[in-house]
Amino acid sequence: MVRGKKEMRLLTNALGAIRNTSHSTPDNCDEFFNYGIVDLLVRRLMPEIKNSHLATEKINSHIEAVVPPSFIPDATQPWREACYRAAGSLINLAEKCPSVAYQIASNRRLIYLLIVAWGGTKAVTSESKALKNTTTSIKGVPLLHIGLAAILHSAEDGALEGGLDDVMLQVLEKEKIRKKIAQRNEEERKRRLWEKK
């Protein structure tokens, strides 16, 4: 347990170094995974989970589970930045190491926590709503991180007991819509450039 301001600052800086290193090569990310850094980061984010391989915890059998608000510390908590750096490290590692993505994808609560940390709080809702193919349907939801996409696809491919729920499907669907809109805008931009010639 971190007790003082100095310890908290050291922890935050160490997690920042891990996050920065996780941006590097797949070999470094594999080494992190082999060293067991994923379990260390998961325990920092979710102290009640002793091993992130635990896909059989009760939450996984409840498809409509949502992350409690207390899962992500609010601005008054001194460990908020450390938690976000730990979450960012996991997402970065999952981007370049399939083993990390698969391990994280086995835990529903952890996936929800990472969705919220990524900035997709608006995507985490207790009710599933039909998506409309409009720009407003993706308003307020940031661009999906490649690492988070890898985690969701691993969950979809069988890592997560019970498969993807409505919230996770919604995140992936919104990204598909965003890509279609971006592609359409790019085609329109090229068309206008061609017409000017």
Side-chain angles (χ1 to χ4, degrees):
M1 178 180 287
V2 178
R3 301 187 180 187
K5 290 182 179 179
K6 184 178 288 186
E7 290 89 346
M8 180 58 65
R9 188 166 60 249
L10 287 171
L11 172 64
T12 303
N13 290 341
L15 288 170
I18 292 172
R19 184 194 59 193
N20 293 342
T21 309
S22 66
H23 278 297
S24 62
T25 66
D27 287 343
N28 283 340
C29 293
D30 286 336
E31 285 299 316
F32 270 138
F33 175 74
N34 292 333
Y35 181 73
I37 198 72
V38 174
D39 287 327
L40 292 173
L41 293 172
V42 170
R43 281 198 297 271
R44 176 56 53 189
L45 286 168
M46 303 169 62
E48 76 279 9
I49 304 286
K50 292 183 179 179
N51 189 326
S52 59
H53 283 291
L54 295 178
T56 56
E57 59 168 333
K58 289 182 181 179
I59 197 74
N60 276 329
S61 63
H62 187 43
I63 304 301
E64 297 301 326
V66 293
V67 174
S70 60
F71 243 46
I72 298 292
D74 61 35
T76 64
Q77 303 300 330
W79 56 88
R80 175 184 174 89
E81 181 61 25
C83 287
Y84 274 94
R85 289 185 182 188
S89 298
L90 287 172
I91 292 173
N92 289 340
L93 289 167
E95 177 183 348
K96 295 179 179 176
C97 181
S99 297
V100 173
Y102 192 86
Q103 180 175 340
I104 294 171
S106 69
N107 188 297
R108 191 175 302 276
R109 292 181 71 190
L110 181 56
I111 294 173
Y112 269 108
L113 186 151
L114 295 180
I115 289 174
V116 172
W118 151 71
T121 308
K122 290 184 179 180
V124 180
T125 57
S126 57
E127 298 179 8
S128 106
K129 298 178 181 178
L131 289 170
K132 297 179 181 178
N133 193 4
T134 63
T135 308
T136 55
S137 67
I138 58 170
K139 187 177 181 181
V141 179
L143 189 67
L144 185 61
H145 190 288
I146 297 172
L148 188 53
I151 293 167
L152 291 172
H153 287 303
S154 290
E156 190 175 34
D157 292 340
L160 182 62
E161 181 183 338
L164 298 182
D165 57 33
D166 290 339
V167 171
M168 297 171 190
L169 289 170
Q170 185 182 38
V171 170
L172 288 176
E173 184 62 27
K174 285 187 176 184
E175 187 59 20
K176 289 178 185 176
I177 294 170
R178 185 195 302 280
K179 286 181 179 178
K180 287 179 181 178
I181 292 171
Q183 185 178 12
R184 188 169 64 240
N185 290 343
E186 179 62 16
E187 289 171 354
E188 179 63 22
R189 185 188 69 81
K190 288 180 178 178
R191 186 186 62 79
R192 285 197 300 267
L193 285 174
W194 180 258
E195 289 175 352
K196 288 180 180 180
K197 291 182 179 180

